[in-house]
Amino acid sequence: MKTRTILFTLIAFTLILTACQPAAGEEISFMVFGDPAELAAYQTLVAAFEQAYPEIRVELIHVPGQADYRNRLAADMVAGTPADVVLINYRRYGAFAQSGALEPLGPYLAKSSLIQESDFYVEAVEPFKWLNELMCIPQNISSLVVYYNRDLFDQAGVPYPANDWTWEDFLAAAQALTQDLDNDGRTDQFGVGIEASLIRLAPFVWQAGGQVVDYDANPSTLTLDSTTAIQAAEFFFSLQTVHHVAPSLDEETAEDSESRFINGRTAMFFNSRRGVPTYRESAAFAWDVAPLPRGKTQAGILHADAYCLPSASKHKDAAWTFIEFANSTEGQTIVAASGRTVPSLISVANSPAFLDPSAKPANSRVFLDTIPYIHALPVHFNWIEIEDIASDELWRGFYGQTDTLDALQRAIQRTRIYFTENE
Amino acid sequence: MNSLARSRRLQPYLFLTPYLMGALLLVVLPAGVSFVIAFTRYSGMGRPVFVGWQNFQWVKSDLLFWVALINSLLYILQAVPLRILGALGLALLYSRPGRATGLYRAAIYLPTVIPDTAYALVWTWILNPFYGPLNPALRTLGLPAPSWLSDSAWALPAIVLASLFQIGEGFVILLAGLRHIPRETYDAARVDGANRWQTFTAITLPLLGPWLVLLSVRDVVLSFQSTFTPAYIMTRGGPYYATHFTPLHIYETAFDGMHFGEAAAVMLMVFIVTIILVVILYNLVEGWGFDED
Amino acid sequence: MKISRLPKTLVSLALTGLFILPLFWMISASLRQPGLPPPRGIEWIPSPLVLSNYARIFDILPFGRYLLNSAITTAIGVALTLATASLAGFGMSLLGKRARLRLLVLSAALQMIPVTALWLTRFLLLAWIGQTNSRLALVAPAIMGSSPLFILLFYWTFRRVDPAVVESAKLDGASLLQIWWKIALPLARPALMAVGMLSFLFYWNDFISPLLYLRSQTLYTLPVGLLQLQEMDKTNWPLLMAASVVMTLPAVGVFAALQRALLWWDGEEYPEGASHQAFGKNAKKWFLFQIGRTPFRKVRRTSEGR
């Protein structure tokens, strides 16, 4: 008898729960990825937007990991239920643009009275043009820089990175900062933390005078086997394999380099602007940013994300209103203040919201100084798969599981089919 | 009378409707759709385009598909025998009630209760070469302490190792199997002067044989799905594809590469392999004289 | 006799320790202070012990919400499963022999198909009817009783219902539905509890469905929450372990409440001796028909430590 009562209660409970549907209304969803500290920036943005446009409510969807974000986005696009506004990197929107899943935003921008194309850095806008049509509105013009722990530099008596430092300077600093503090034969403090991936290697290739792909506009293969690219890869891999200034695979698995950096046990960490909110919150030491060291030439790599509007959205106008607001001076100022972005609006990038010397990193100007030398990876519908596979091979090179040439050649060989495969 | 009789005959099916409908909607229909999608190019958006056997050709030439298949087979070859042996040994040890047997049985079942995600995470910690407790323990015992999840040669065995603790189901099933062996058989053996080992090989093992075979087949089939969570959480298929298993391959092909056609083709193959196993199993079971009443 | 038992007791204690270790280390690591360098040797109990990791996970992610969602999803899943599985089991017990055999074979086949072979197209089907981002997607398997095993468990129980009782109820004008509710179900308490527990674990632990289907954070369940936490900082072990403990304890609790019944096959002492014998015979069939999950009997142990 008692069991039946429980069963009945459960069923009744079920019916009540399934009967509760969310209330309808002009509500849009906005999906972002990032660390908790980055999330705060978007929460502020949404709050400001809802105040300016009380008739629209925004549901913020937060996916912490980039890989999960990407799967989530793909699954949602297929399900036909993507968020109304999504943040997508320029390396990733190609697949969606190709299959018509994104609403071109050029026409919307042309009609806007709040923002226009010329307000933005052209370097950030161009990659988001698919067949000459602007698909998404870039939120930032972030690029790769070197975050460094000033305290560790001071302790080791190493001068801070100069704005024109070279690969040699960088390696020397890394070596001086790699230390076995308790003499137990195990390195406790590393000079460098860098991800073994194509997007990290690419700027070194450009600095050496090489190219990542044959034709930027219409690539057909990776070109990582040129003499210059090999030189760059040799240098890149040698950080781990020869000089051991970066953690070995075991050490990286035990504790990743970003955690080591935050915990004060790695002196220099390569990351884009997105690390700033987290480091402001969690790093208990003095830190700053430096430009990438120079090779033969100076080169940086674009890390721009943009607000995109999926064509499956049922609230396109409201979604555009949000995108427009987020990319207005007010919106970009809010997000920039969190430290998350290098604003894509020229005016905001040059304002105190970004350059405020009292906010870390003091040397934010580095990001703007890099812009004239910035390179972008190609936009291609299969780019993410290409990058993944290439990175898997580069990973082997970086951790000394194969020699440089083999890693590069396998990367080229394995990705070739993805350049042409028509899907 | 006639209509009454018919309604009587149909009534049981009324009770079975949700189950049969569910099976139709959740198993038969998806299987049918896979069958169609496998012959199309489909990014999940837009319309599928019929391409004939192209996806199967792509799959055949896809290095990662073969890597995934081989890894899955390696996993099965290592995990299934060890899991069955473990469950068997433990079931033999605790088949008879004794002091604290309840506690021991509960302890053995405990890891099986831990949710897969949490279980994968705790093993990532245990296996961590610097922080985790396993390697210091191995070193204390004078055993080699590999880098486990970051070593291509050890990542797959590490996942096998973790799976060896989640054998509660096999354990309970074999306990049931042992209970099924009549006491008198053992008594007779004892009267004949058989020692323990002889009793085991002459009575227990043959009588338990069908159970063991079935348990193995089930474990083989389920490993097509049970490897997903550990691979996803612990290694993401790495290092360098060492734990890239079939389910992960399907997931990544579909949701990372958005190649639903290819993914469906792989799925179809898994499905067919499963069906073959089921048919073999069914014939085996019939061979053992299954009778419903 | 006592001496010969000693080695076995030692082995048992060692095994018990071994199988408890994963949970022990989960708890121990959850009490470690984040950011500390690696310990030297095995760290059984971290020093200093901190509880703050538990507070922190609720701080950086809406874990309270996830807990609630997991509870709701599990409750729906369990309730639906109990209803559909017991209905189907009852229906099966009413079938003629041949139809029943066919159904048994079908159930066995269904039980063998890995979700992997279906998930993609299940996803597409749910997408086409616009139900991916919903709880329905998570509890959909409950429509078919979650697992054919559950139906079989009910079937074996209902088969033992005395046909004479059913006939006399029919003569009294009771419908089959009433018979199911008033006569069959009260007799099926062990099966209800068995299926209840196993389906609890099924929905509580489910990682793949929410990973595939859910977009809205307001619907996320604990397994996805765990993944989120891992993505945020994949080597922050204390936080990850704290979240794992939060997710594991309810499952362990349910198990602890019911484990005796699950793990005790102490047939001779079963109060309804005769009906137990029937189950004993069924055990083989039940297993032969492939059987994903665990059998379960509510057994009162009348003689302790025989």
Side-chain angles (χ1 to χ4, degrees):
Chain A
M1 234 19 211
K2 216 171 129 204
T3 319
R4 274 200 303 163
T5 320
I6 295 170
L7 176 63
F8 180 75
T9 319
L10 278 173
I11 293 171
F13 184 49
T14 307
L15 293 175
I16 294 165
L17 282 170
T18 39
C20 296
Q21 295 295 331
E26 184 71 316
E27 180 174 304
I28 59 168
S29 48
F30 168 39
M31 188 160 89
V32 296
F33 60 86
D35 296 336
E38 301 175 57
L39 179 62
Y42 295 111
Q43 282 162 342
T44 320
L45 176 69
V46 165
F49 174 75
E50 285 179 341
Q51 204 166 13
Y53 298 87
E55 70 279 11
I56 303 173
R57 273 211 5 87
V58 180
E59 182 202 3
L60 186 61
I61 299 166
H62 173 226
V63 180
Q66 290 228 33
D68 283 334
Y69 183 82
R70 179 168 118 202
N71 295 345
R72 182 73 267 143
L73 192 60
D76 292 343
M77 290 281 194
V78 173
T81 57
D84 300 295
V85 179
V86 293
L87 205 58
I88 311 185
N89 193 280
Y90 75 96
R91 287 143 50 228
R92 302 188 175 189
Y93 83 97
F96 301 120
Q98 166 90 354
S99 49
L102 297 178
E103 180 86 0
L105 291 183
Y108 287 84
L109 183 62
K111 277 184 272 178
S112 171
S113 56
L114 213 53
I115 44 175
Q116 47 191 337
E117 197 178 320
S118 58
D119 297 341
F120 294 85
Y121 282 106
V122 63
E123 292 84 351
V125 172
E126 281 309 312
F128 286 100
K129 288 190 175 161
W130 182 262
L131 304 175
N132 285 324
E133 189 153 37
L134 185 63
M135 301 304 291
C136 308
I137 309 292
Q139 170 218 45
N140 63 64
I141 179 159
S142 184
S143 58
L144 190 68
V145 294
V146 181
Y147 290 82
Y148 65 98
N149 182 327
R150 295 173 74 115
D151 293 352
L152 294 185
F153 273 74
D154 290 343
Q155 279 161 28
V158 178
Y160 300 145
N163 276 336
D164 60 349
W165 66 333
T166 62
W167 287 8
E168 291 71 33
D169 301 334
F170 162 68
L171 180 60
Q175 284 172 319
L177 288 158
T178 302
Q179 292 175 2
D180 174 9
L181 298 171
D182 51 8
N183 291 311
D184 65 348
R186 192 194 270 178
T187 307
D188 308 291
Q189 176 186 312
F190 284 95
V192 183
I194 188 164
E195 195 185 283
S197 65
L198 182 59
I199 191 174
R200 293 287 184 268
L201 173 67
F204 288 91
V205 173
W206 292 322
Q207 286 161 4
Q211 292 300 326
V212 173
V213 291
D214 50 357
Y215 302 104
D216 277 339
N218 187 17
S220 67
T221 178
L222 294 177
T223 51
L224 294 173
D225 55 353
S226 68
T227 326
T228 43
I230 293 170
Q231 265 172 16
E234 291 272 1
F235 176 74
F236 187 85
F237 294 163
S238 75
L239 295 174
Q240 202 289 121
T241 54
V242 179
H243 306 297
H244 305 293
V245 293
S248 70
L249 181 56
D250 280 1
E251 288 155 338
E252 184 73 25
T253 314
E255 184 180 21
D256 60 46
S257 280
E258 187 161 22
S259 298
R260 282 175 194 269
F261 177 72
I262 293 170
N263 292 330
R265 294 197 297 273
T266 281
M268 296 183 275
F269 183 66
F270 284 72
N271 200 357
S272 70
R273 180 74 187 185
R274 67 169 291 208
V276 168
T278 306
Y279 308 155
R280 277 187 190 168
E281 189 182 279
S282 310
F285 50 83
W287 56 274
D288 207 342
V289 293
L292 295 181
R294 290 170 194 200
K296 262 192 219 111
T297 60
Q298 193 176 354
I301 181 164
L302 183 72
H303 271 251
D305 306 297
Y307 297 104
C308 304
L309 204 173
S311 38
S313 165
K314 291 184 183 71
H315 309 279
K316 291 205 180 71
D317 288 331
W320 169 253
T321 310
F322 179 78
I323 294 174
E324 192 182 32
F325 177 83
N327 269 330
S328 67
T329 309
E330 186 184 352
Q332 286 218 353
T333 303
I334 290 169
V335 181
S338 74
R340 169 63 179 84
T341 56
V342 180
S344 56
L345 283 175
I346 300 167
S347 62
V348 181
N350 289 285
S351 77
F354 178 66
L355 292 174
D356 178 5
S358 66
K360 287 179 189 172
N363 203 9
S364 275
R365 180 154 280 287
V366 163
F367 289 97
L368 303 187
D369 293 343
T370 305
I371 293 175
Y373 309 98
I374 220 161
H375 293 240
L377 288 167
V379 173
H380 185 277
F381 53 88
N382 269 342
W383 183 252
I384 271 310
E385 282 183 291
I386 293 168
E387 216 180 285
D388 276 354
I389 291 171
S391 295
D392 285 340
E393 296 299 335
L394 299 176
W395 178 92
R396 291 186 79 208
F398 189 80
Y399 289 113
Q401 304 193 346
T402 186
D403 60 79
T404 308
L405 199 61
D406 180 57
L408 297 175
Q409 280 171 343
R410 283 184 60 86
I412 294 167
Q413 206 179 17
R414 285 191 56 207
T415 51
R416 192 162 283 147
I417 186 167
Y418 291 91
F419 280 97
T420 49
E421 190 216 1
N422 182 25
E423 176 117 11
Chain B
M1 191 63 205
N2 202 0
S3 72
L4 193 70
R6 192 183 302 141
S7 92
R8 273 229 178 147
R9 232 182 312 126
L10 286 180
Q11 251 175 336
Y13 288 100
L14 226 56
F15 287 88
L16 283 159
T17 307
Y19 174 53
L20 294 175
M21 284 292 289
L24 189 71
L25 288 174
L26 293 166
V27 180
V28 180
L29 195 60
V33 172
S34 312
F35 196 81
V36 175
I37 299 260
F39 294 92
T40 65
R41 189 170 65 225
Y42 185 41
S43 72
M45 295 167 285
R47 288 188 174 282
V49 181
F50 181 77
V51 291
W53 292 95
Q54 197 180 300
N55 290 331
F56 292 88
Q57 275 154 8
W58 165 273
V59 167
K60 207 176 78 186
S61 66
D62 183 6
L63 188 71
L64 285 186
F65 166 74
W66 292 105
V67 168
L69 195 67
I70 290 167
N71 282 340
S72 290
L73 290 176
L74 281 175
Y75 175 86
I76 287 168
L77 284 177
Q78 295 174 37
V80 174
L82 288 173
R83 283 164 58 85
I84 303 285
L85 274 180
L88 177 63
L90 291 167
L92 286 171
L93 201 53
Y94 299 120
S95 63
R96 292 284 150 80
R99 210 146 37 116
T101 303
L103 175 76
Y104 301 145
R105 288 182 184 176
I108 283 158
Y109 200 88
L110 186 65
T112 311
V113 175
I114 301 176
D116 293 347
T117 22
Y119 191 72
L121 281 176
V122 75
W123 274 95
T124 322
W125 159 257
I126 291 172
L127 295 164
N128 189 300
F130 292 139
Y131 285 89
L134 180 62
N135 276 3
L138 290 175
R139 268 185 227 110
T140 313
L141 297 172
L143 294 168
S147 317
W148 300 112
L149 299 177
S150 52
D151 184 332
S152 305
W154 282 99
L156 198 147
I159 291 181
V160 171
L161 178 69
S163 81
L164 296 185
F165 287 76
Q166 282 192 318
I167 52 174
E169 289 173 5
F171 171 65
V172 173
I173 285 170
L174 289 178
L175 277 182
L178 285 170
R179 276 207 60 79
H180 196 74
I181 301 173
R183 263 270 165 83
E184 303 80 59
T185 326
Y186 286 112
D187 294 340
R190 203 163 308 139
V191 170
D192 291 347
N195 65 24
R196 278 190 167 197
W197 177 247
Q198 283 167 335
T199 319
F200 175 70
T201 50
I203 300 173
T204 315
L205 214 51
L207 285 175
L208 221 49
W211 298 68
L212 290 170
V213 174
L214 285 163
L215 204 56
S216 312
V217 175
R218 169 182 167 279
D219 230 27
V220 168
V221 171
L222 282 192
S223 68
F224 277 114
Q225 89 189 45
S226 61
T227 45
F228 178 76
T229 309
Y232 194 82
I233 300 272
M234 293 166 79
T235 58
R236 285 282 172 135
Y240 198 66
Y241 312 120
T243 56
H244 188 76
F245 296 115
T246 312
L248 192 66
H249 184 72
I250 295 173
Y251 177 78
E252 289 189 343
T253 309
F255 293 104
D256 235 21
M258 307 190 75
H259 304 302
F260 280 75
E262 284 96 328
V266 179
M267 243 167 53
L268 207 59
M269 291 188 214
V270 172
F271 194 76
I272 288 167
V273 169
T274 313
I275 297 274
I276 291 172
L277 280 170
V278 171
V279 169
I280 293 174
L281 174 74
Y282 180 63
N283 287 322
L284 278 178
V285 171
E286 232 178 14
W288 286 321
F290 174 81
D291 176 27
E292 215 264 321
D293 275 303
Chain C
M1 197 63 196
K2 280 222 166 106
I3 296 165
S4 77
R5 205 186 275 164
L6 188 66
K8 190 181 166 184
T9 310
L10 284 178
V11 168
S12 293
L13 287 177
L15 282 171
T16 305
L18 192 65
F19 277 81
I20 286 177
L21 271 183
L23 189 61
F24 171 82
W25 266 325
M26 191 192 281
I27 294 169
S28 141
S30 75
L31 301 172
R32 201 171 192 270
Q33 185 173 314
L36 290 184
R40 321 210 154 253
I42 310 179
E43 191 181 63
W44 293 99
I45 293 166
S47 152
L49 275 176
V50 293
L51 276 171
S52 57
N53 300 318
Y54 287 89
R56 176 89 180 126
I57 54 171
F58 285 88
D59 215 32
I60 56 179
L61 278 174
F63 256 85
R65 177 85 225 180
Y66 298 167
L67 255 171
L68 182 69
N69 286 336
S70 273
I72 293 173
T73 305
T74 306
I76 298 175
V78 170
L80 274 177
T81 301
L82 288 178
T84 52
S86 66
L87 277 173
F90 187 64
M92 205 158 153
S93 72
L94 298 174
L95 284 177
K97 193 177 168 183
R98 270 180 68 194
R100 196 157 61 204
L101 194 64
R102 254 185 249 134
L103 208 63
L104 279 166
V105 172
L106 172 79
S107 302
L110 289 181
Q111 178 79 24
M112 294 291 278
I113 296 166
V115 182
T116 326
L118 303 167
W119 60 4
L120 221 175
T121 28
R122 266 191 200 172
F123 174 85
L124 290 175
L125 287 169
L126 280 162
W128 291 336
I129 59 165
Q131 284 298 332
T132 43
N133 189 29
S134 73
R135 283 205 182 99
L136 176 73
L138 302 187
V139 299
I143 301 166
M144 54 175 290
S146 297
S147 161
L149 164 71
F150 299 163
I151 284 138
L152 296 182
L153 280 176
F154 277 109
Y155 160 62
W156 282 310
T157 306
F158 292 145
R159 230 171 48 125
R160 297 204 304 272
V161 176
D162 187 353
V165 178
V166 177
E167 278 312 310
S168 73
K170 270 188 198 161
L171 288 176
D172 289 347
S175 71
L176 279 177
L177 203 64
Q178 283 169 321
I179 294 173
W180 166 71
W181 180 251
K182 291 207 174 123
I183 297 174
L185 272 188
L187 288 173
R189 194 157 170 251
L192 279 172
M193 294 180 71
V195 174
M197 175 193 166
L198 294 173
S199 55
F200 174 91
L201 294 176
F202 185 96
Y203 289 101
W204 185 261
N205 298 356
D206 187 14
F207 170 60
I208 292 175
S209 299
L211 177 74
L212 281 183
Y213 302 133
L214 294 187
R215 187 200 69 198
S216 297
Q217 217 172 343
T218 48
L219 290 174
Y220 279 8
T221 53
L222 282 172
V224 195
L226 234 57
L227 177 69
Q228 276 193 303
L229 204 63
Q230 190 202 25
E231 281 289 316
M232 281 180 180
D233 190 348
K234 61 176 177 291
T235 51
N236 195 336
W237 306 108
L239 280 197
L240 290 170
M241 291 301 107
S244 299
V245 170
V246 167
M247 187 178 172
T248 303
L249 284 187
V252 171
V254 168
F255 169 68
L258 301 165
Q259 55 85 15
R260 270 257 298 253
L262 172 70
L263 300 169
W264 273 100
W265 292 76
D266 207 347
E268 287 90 345
E269 284 80 32
Y270 191 71
E272 302 147 36
S275 72
H276 176 75
Q277 284 308 312
F279 182 80
K281 243 196 272 167
N282 283 332
K284 184 172 179 188
K285 279 165 208 152
W286 157 85
F287 178 69
L288 289 178
F289 264 106
Q290 191 14 242
I291 307 304
R293 298 268 167 171
T294 17
F296 174 102
R297 290 291 287 166
K298 177 70 183 167
V299 171
R300 180 149 40 100
R301 268 177 77 215
T302 43
S303 74
E304 205 68 39
R306 187 167 44 92

